[in-house]
Amino acid sequence: MTALHPDSPHVPVLAAEAIGALAIVPDGLYLDGTFGAGGYSRLILAAGGRVLALDRDPTAIARGAELVRESNGRLILAHSRFSRMERAAQGLGPFDGIVLDIGVSSMQIDEPERGFSFRFDGPLDMRMERAGRSAADLVNELEEGALADLFYHYGEERASRRIARAIVAERAKAPIMTTAALAQIIARANPGRPQDIHPATRSFQALRIAVNEELDELARALGAAERLLRPGGRLAVVTFHSLEDRIVKHFFASRAGRGRAASRLLPGEIAPPPPTFSLRAPQPVAPNAEECARNPRARSAKLRWAERTDAPAQREGQ
């Protein structure tokens, strides 16, 4: 059995609740779509399960090599986006459970060179895969209107236009290349009250989501998980802000047939597909006060989970 290593740099949020939702069966097959520091994978292994773990960050894959060796063949670790889990799982499955922990990991936030946080000065990067367009590229290249829309839609930032205007004015003098420089520009453009969150919080969130295409990735991953789970398998998803939670909530509600009228179909009306998931109340599950006190990053977390029925997976768009 592999125990959760006490020196792991990442403490999984809602770990007990997520593992409980998966209802681990001995020698069952599980997919951890967001390996990170291996928190959920370790717990599944400790409960007797076998794991295919994915991560799009090559650093996480390299750090997980020791756990792969310790697992005696019960852990496979693959460098992959979770939206591509079907490709990564070829030759495996169906799965007894899938867990997704959405968003940036604590390790990434705490590494200044990754550029995810304004708490440390570092390059304005935010790329989980260390490839593709960086946050600096977006900040310095997007037109003012597009930049404002990005902050508004992905960060729910009400001062998005004022912030975008300030960024465009500053980058005309010199490129904005560091997290500290961007945070200072945002704070000057939209100063907050002392008791508020940092003025740059929502804008940084928006850039990270855009750089990593996080919302599209999540939507695709949910559909892939539906196709990979066996009947009776569980899907557990932990989110950290309203945009993510809204996608998961809508997916589960639509796949469980919530909101459908119970009346007979009208002549010529096409019958809706049968539910592919069964929801269990109450949801969402939130961290308790003790966990929030121990890990302030857990305060906004929500867990939603559902059980796969034996109905065929629905086509995209249904």
Tab-separated table of all heavy atoms in Angstrom, residues 184-217:
chain	number	residue	atom	x	y	z
A	184	GLN	N	1.206	45.793	-10.370
A	184	GLN	CA	1.275	47.207	-10.005
A	184	GLN	C	0.427	48.073	-10.925
A	184	GLN	O	-0.261	48.999	-10.473
A	184	GLN	CB	2.737	47.668	-10.017
A	184	GLN	CG	3.581	47.082	-8.896
A	184	GLN	CD	5.071	47.288	-9.123
A	184	GLN	OE1	5.482	48.004	-10.042
A	184	GLN	NE2	5.888	46.667	-8.284
A	185	ILE	N	0.431	47.762	-12.206
A	185	ILE	CA	-0.392	48.513	-13.163
A	185	ILE	C	-1.868	48.345	-12.826
A	185	ILE	O	-2.639	49.315	-12.806
A	185	ILE	CB	-0.104	48.035	-14.600
A	185	ILE	CG1	1.319	48.406	-15.010
A	185	ILE	CG2	-1.113	48.618	-15.585
A	185	ILE	CD1	1.790	47.709	-16.272
A	186	ILE	N	-2.276	47.112	-12.537
A	186	ILE	CA	-3.680	46.847	-12.214
A	186	ILE	C	-4.075	47.536	-10.920
A	186	ILE	O	-5.162	48.121	-10.812
A	186	ILE	CB	-3.929	45.334	-12.127
A	186	ILE	CG1	-3.709	44.680	-13.497
A	186	ILE	CG2	-5.342	45.038	-11.611
A	186	ILE	CD1	-3.737	43.174	-13.473
A	187	ALA	N	-3.203	47.484	-9.920
A	187	ALA	CA	-3.511	48.104	-8.627
A	187	ALA	C	-3.660	49.616	-8.757
A	187	ALA	O	-4.502	50.222	-8.074
A	187	ALA	CB	-2.421	47.749	-7.608
A	188	ARG	N	-2.863	50.225	-9.611
A	188	ARG	CA	-2.992	51.670	-9.818
A	188	ARG	C	-4.281	52.007	-10.566
A	188	ARG	O	-4.934	53.018	-10.283
A	188	ARG	CB	-1.779	52.209	-10.586
A	188	ARG	CG	-0.497	52.260	-9.765
A	188	ARG	CD	0.539	53.150	-10.447
A	188	ARG	NE	0.896	52.676	-11.781
A	188	ARG	CZ	1.904	51.853	-12.038
A	188	ARG	NH1	2.651	51.397	-11.040
A	188	ARG	NH2	2.173	51.481	-13.288
A	189	ALA	N	-4.640	51.156	-11.503
A	189	ALA	CA	-5.839	51.419	-12.309
A	189	ALA	C	-7.123	51.137	-11.546
A	189	ALA	O	-8.151	51.777	-11.775
A	189	ALA	CB	-5.813	50.569	-13.576
A	190	ASN	N	-7.053	50.199	-10.607
A	190	ASN	CA	-8.252	49.777	-9.883
A	190	ASN	C	-7.927	49.509	-8.423
A	190	ASN	O	-7.992	48.370	-7.952
A	190	ASN	CB	-8.835	48.518	-10.546
A	190	ASN	CG	-10.138	48.083	-9.932
A	190	ASN	OD1	-10.990	48.909	-9.586
A	190	ASN	ND2	-10.318	46.775	-9.783
A	191	PRO	N	-7.566	50.544	-7.672
A	191	PRO	CA	-7.197	50.333	-6.261
A	191	PRO	C	-8.397	49.826	-5.463
A	191	PRO	O	-9.517	50.294	-5.626
A	191	PRO	CB	-6.751	51.722	-5.808
A	191	PRO	CG	-7.431	52.665	-6.735
A	191	PRO	CD	-7.510	51.968	-8.056
A	192	GLY	N	-8.144	48.859	-4.626
A	192	GLY	CA	-9.212	48.296	-3.800
A	192	GLY	C	-9.113	48.754	-2.365
A	192	GLY	O	-8.156	49.422	-1.953
A	193	ARG	N	-10.120	48.386	-1.599
A	193	ARG	CA	-10.101	48.684	-0.176
A	193	ARG	C	-9.203	47.676	0.545
A	193	ARG	O	-8.998	46.561	0.045
A	193	ARG	CB	-11.511	48.617	0.391
A	193	ARG	CG	-12.467	49.660	-0.197
A	193	ARG	CD	-13.892	49.412	0.253
A	193	ARG	NE	-14.361	48.097	-0.188
A	193	ARG	CZ	-15.583	47.624	0.084
A	193	ARG	NH1	-16.436	48.343	0.802
A	193	ARG	NH2	-15.936	46.427	-0.342
A	194	PRO	N	-8.649	48.047	1.710
A	194	PRO	CA	-7.722	47.142	2.408
A	194	PRO	C	-8.311	45.762	2.680
A	194	PRO	O	-7.591	44.770	2.671
A	194	PRO	CB	-7.429	47.896	3.704
A	194	PRO	CG	-7.646	49.333	3.367
A	194	PRO	CD	-8.768	49.350	2.380
A	195	GLN	N	-9.624	45.688	2.942
A	195	GLN	CA	-10.236	44.404	3.277
A	195	GLN	C	-10.578	43.556	2.051
A	195	GLN	O	-10.955	42.388	2.181
A	195	GLN	CB	-11.505	44.621	4.113
A	195	GLN	CG	-12.663	45.299	3.373
A	195	GLN	CD	-12.629	46.813	3.523
A	195	GLN	OE1	-11.557	47.397	3.691
A	195	GLN	NE2	-13.787	47.431	3.493
A	196	ASP	N	-10.443	44.118	0.861
A	196	ASP	CA	-10.767	43.393	-0.362
A	196	ASP	C	-9.625	42.464	-0.767
A	196	ASP	O	-8.499	42.570	-0.268
A	196	ASP	CB	-11.038	44.371	-1.505
A	196	ASP	CG	-12.324	45.162	-1.313
A	196	ASP	OD1	-13.172	44.722	-0.505
A	196	ASP	OD2	-12.467	46.217	-1.960
A	197	ILE	N	-9.923	41.565	-1.704
A	197	ILE	CA	-8.852	40.771	-2.310
A	197	ILE	C	-7.949	41.703	-3.103
A	197	ILE	O	-8.327	42.822	-3.436
A	197	ILE	CB	-9.427	39.669	-3.228
A	197	ILE	CG1	-10.233	40.297	-4.381
A	197	ILE	CG2	-10.278	38.693	-2.443
A	197	ILE	CD1	-10.677	39.293	-5.415
A	198	HIS	N	-6.747	41.239	-3.410
A	198	HIS	CA	-5.814	42.067	-4.172
A	198	HIS	C	-6.456	42.464	-5.495
A	198	HIS	O	-7.131	41.650	-6.154
A	198	HIS	CB	-4.524	41.288	-4.428
A	198	HIS	CG	-3.411	42.140	-4.969
A	198	HIS	ND1	-3.359	42.528	-6.292
A	198	HIS	CD2	-2.316	42.676	-4.373
A	198	HIS	CE1	-2.282	43.260	-6.490
A	198	HIS	NE2	-1.624	43.367	-5.348
A	199	PRO	N	-6.278	43.709	-5.924
A	199	PRO	CA	-6.919	44.171	-7.171
A	199	PRO	C	-6.571	43.348	-8.400
A	199	PRO	O	-7.331	43.345	-9.379
A	199	PRO	CB	-6.406	45.603	-7.312
A	199	PRO	CG	-6.034	46.027	-5.935
A	199	PRO	CD	-5.548	44.790	-5.243
A	200	ALA	N	-5.436	42.665	-8.378
A	200	ALA	CA	-5.016	41.897	-9.558
A	200	ALA	C	-5.542	40.469	-9.561
A	200	ALA	O	-5.345	39.748	-10.546
A	200	ALA	CB	-3.490	41.870	-9.642
A	201	THR	N	-6.223	40.036	-8.520
A	201	THR	CA	-6.624	38.627	-8.390
A	201	THR	C	-7.444	38.146	-9.578
A	201	THR	O	-7.131	37.128	-10.204
A	201	THR	CB	-7.427	38.430	-7.097
A	201	THR	OG1	-6.611	38.794	-5.973
A	201	THR	CG2	-7.855	36.972	-6.953
A	202	ARG	N	-8.481	38.852	-9.932
A	202	ARG	CA	-9.377	38.396	-10.994
A	202	ARG	C	-8.702	38.467	-12.371
A	202	ARG	O	-8.932	37.607	-13.223
A	202	ARG	CB	-10.665	39.217	-10.984
A	202	ARG	CG	-11.513	38.998	-9.739
A	202	ARG	CD	-12.857	39.713	-9.846
A	202	ARG	NE	-13.663	39.493	-8.672
A	202	ARG	CZ	-13.662	40.278	-7.597
A	202	ARG	NH1	-12.896	41.350	-7.571
A	202	ARG	NH2	-14.416	39.993	-6.552
A	203	SER	N	-7.888	39.483	-12.581
A	203	SER	CA	-7.205	39.611	-13.870
A	203	SER	C	-6.184	38.497	-14.064
A	203	SER	O	-6.044	37.960	-15.179
A	203	SER	CB	-6.524	40.981	-13.976
A	203	SER	OG	-7.483	42.019	-13.911
A	204	PHE	N	-5.470	38.144	-13.015
A	204	PHE	CA	-4.509	37.043	-13.110
A	204	PHE	C	-5.236	35.727	-13.363
A	204	PHE	O	-4.777	34.888	-14.152
A	204	PHE	CB	-3.655	36.973	-11.844
A	204	PHE	CG	-2.376	37.758	-11.932
A	204	PHE	CD1	-2.398	39.144	-12.060
A	204	PHE	CD2	-1.144	37.127	-11.889
A	204	PHE	CE1	-1.223	39.882	-12.134
A	204	PHE	CE2	0.041	37.851	-11.966
A	204	PHE	CZ	0.002	39.228	-12.094
A	205	GLN	N	-6.365	35.532	-12.691
A	205	GLN	CA	-7.161	34.335	-12.940
A	205	GLN	C	-7.573	34.263	-14.397
A	205	GLN	O	-7.473	33.215	-15.044
A	205	GLN	CB	-8.409	34.339	-12.068
A	205	GLN	CG	-9.421	33.250	-12.423
A	205	GLN	CD	-10.741	33.417	-11.698
A	205	GLN	OE1	-10.788	33.369	-10.476
A	205	GLN	NE2	-11.821	33.621	-12.434
A	206	ALA	N	-8.031	35.372	-14.935
A	206	ALA	CA	-8.490	35.412	-16.318
A	206	ALA	C	-7.362	35.066	-17.290
A	206	ALA	O	-7.558	34.300	-18.245
A	206	ALA	CB	-9.053	36.793	-16.634
A	207	LEU	N	-6.186	35.621	-17.068
A	207	LEU	CA	-5.052	35.330	-17.945
A	207	LEU	C	-4.672	33.855	-17.877
A	207	LEU	O	-4.404	33.232	-18.910
A	207	LEU	CB	-3.859	36.201	-17.552
A	207	LEU	CG	-3.936	37.666	-17.976
A	207	LEU	CD1	-2.855	38.480	-17.271
A	207	LEU	CD2	-3.815	37.806	-19.496
A	208	ARG	N	-4.650	33.296	-16.677
A	208	ARG	CA	-4.295	31.883	-16.533
A	208	ARG	C	-5.288	30.982	-17.267
A	208	ARG	O	-4.909	30.050	-17.961
A	208	ARG	CB	-4.278	31.517	-15.048
A	208	ARG	CG	-3.652	30.158	-14.747
A	208	ARG	CD	-4.118	29.634	-13.411
A	208	ARG	NE	-5.471	29.113	-13.502
A	208	ARG	CZ	-6.402	29.307	-12.575
A	208	ARG	NH1	-6.166	30.038	-11.509
A	208	ARG	NH2	-7.602	28.758	-12.727
A	209	ILE	N	-6.570	31.289	-17.130
A	209	ILE	CA	-7.600	30.499	-17.811
A	209	ILE	C	-7.438	30.594	-19.324
A	209	ILE	O	-7.532	29.591	-20.042
A	209	ILE	CB	-9.005	30.972	-17.375
A	209	ILE	CG1	-9.269	30.553	-15.925
A	209	ILE	CG2	-10.075	30.399	-18.290
A	209	ILE	CD1	-10.560	31.117	-15.360
A	210	ALA	N	-7.185	31.808	-19.818
A	210	ALA	CA	-7.042	32.002	-21.260
A	210	ALA	C	-5.791	31.316	-21.793
A	210	ALA	O	-5.834	30.648	-22.835
A	210	ALA	CB	-7.000	33.492	-21.579
A	211	VAL	N	-4.671	31.475	-21.111
A	211	VAL	CA	-3.413	30.881	-21.566
A	211	VAL	C	-3.536	29.363	-21.684
A	211	VAL	O	-3.064	28.756	-22.647
A	211	VAL	CB	-2.263	31.246	-20.600
A	211	VAL	CG1	-1.043	30.351	-20.835
A	211	VAL	CG2	-1.871	32.710	-20.772
A	212	ASN	N	-4.210	28.737	-20.724
A	212	ASN	CA	-4.289	27.278	-20.670
A	212	ASN	C	-5.594	26.707	-21.200
A	212	ASN	O	-5.812	25.490	-21.106
A	212	ASN	CB	-4.049	26.823	-19.224
A	212	ASN	CG	-2.675	27.194	-18.731
A	212	ASN	OD1	-1.672	26.664	-19.185
A	212	ASN	ND2	-2.619	28.148	-17.805
A	213	GLU	N	-6.456	27.567	-21.737
A	213	GLU	CA	-7.736	27.137	-22.307
A	213	GLU	C	-8.517	26.265	-21.326
A	213	GLU	O	-9.112	25.245	-21.699
A	213	GLU	CB	-7.506	26.367	-23.618
A	213	GLU	CG	-6.744	27.141	-24.672
A	213	GLU	CD	-6.432	26.292	-25.888
A	213	GLU	OE1	-5.881	25.178	-25.725
A	213	GLU	OE2	-6.741	26.739	-26.997
A	214	GLU	N	-8.542	26.682	-20.071
A	214	GLU	CA	-9.028	25.811	-19.010
A	214	GLU	C	-10.506	25.460	-19.104
A	214	GLU	O	-10.909	24.326	-18.814
A	214	GLU	CB	-8.726	26.441	-17.646
A	214	GLU	CG	-7.246	26.488	-17.336
A	214	GLU	CD	-6.950	27.152	-16.005
A	214	GLU	OE1	-7.801	27.102	-15.099
A	214	GLU	OE2	-5.862	27.732	-15.884
A	215	LEU	N	-11.352	26.392	-19.496
A	215	LEU	CA	-12.780	26.105	-19.529
A	215	LEU	C	-13.131	25.148	-20.664
A	215	LEU	O	-13.941	24.230	-20.483
A	215	LEU	CB	-13.581	27.403	-19.630
A	215	LEU	CG	-13.355	28.407	-18.494
A	215	LEU	CD1	-14.311	29.586	-18.632
A	215	LEU	CD2	-13.514	27.746	-17.126
A	216	ASP	N	-12.530	25.334	-21.816
A	216	ASP	CA	-12.745	24.398	-22.922
A	216	ASP	C	-12.193	23.016	-22.571
A	216	ASP	O	-12.801	21.988	-22.901
A	216	ASP	CB	-12.078	24.908	-24.199
A	216	ASP	CG	-12.797	26.106	-24.788
A	216	ASP	OD1	-13.974	26.308	-24.455
A	216	ASP	OD2	-12.171	26.846	-25.575
A	217	GLU	N	-11.036	22.991	-21.931
A	217	GLU	CA	-10.443	21.723	-21.509
A	217	GLU	C	-11.379	20.976	-20.561
A	217	GLU	O	-11.573	19.765	-20.678
A	217	GLU	CB	-9.107	21.984	-20.806
A	217	GLU	CG	-7.976	22.346	-21.731
A	217	GLU	CD	-7.520	21.146	-22.539
A	217	GLU	OE1	-7.193	20.102	-21.936
A	217	GLU	OE2	-7.514	21.245	-23.769
